Amino acid sequence: MSSAVVVPAALAATHRASSCGSAWIDGLPALAEQRLAAWRLRPDGAAWHGMVALALPVVRADGSAAVLKLQPVTEDTAGEPVGLRAWG
């Protein structure tokens, strides 16, 4: 079964250039589908990305808008969820 989540080529290239990024980027569509299903999110538009993360605009089960952000957890990114919650 193929994923409806499309990984932008530029994001894939960035990860493939790193020492451990190919495995993560190859598994990203499945990870995104798992998180969408687990959190009852519906994609709502085209993905966007930075150097490391994939961001998917989504709609929650209650109809509110949100963004699903997926990136590998590293020493540099491990604390990001706390920061994003504080930032709101």
Side-chain angles (χ1 to χ4, degrees):
M1 176 175 157
S2 68
S3 174
V5 175
V6 176
V7 176
L11 178 62
T14 298
H15 281 275
R16 291 191 197 295
S18 73
S19 62
C20 61
S22 285
W24 187 83
I25 204 73
D26 290 343
L28 183 54
L31 174 62
E33 294 290 348
Q34 291 167 356
R35 295 298 83 211
L36 290 166
W39 294 328
R40 298 181 1 202
L41 303 172
R42 179 175 43 84
D44 189 37
W48 67 90
H49 64 92
M51 292 290 294
V52 177
L54 177 71
L56 299 171
V58 296
V59 176
R60 296 178 181 147
D62 68 2
S64 63
V67 174
L68 173 61
K69 183 179 181 189
L70 300 166
Q71 66 188 28
V73 178
T74 67
E75 184 178 304
D76 293 332
T77 64
E80 188 169 311
V82 174
L84 289 172
R85 276 189 215 100
W87 191 26

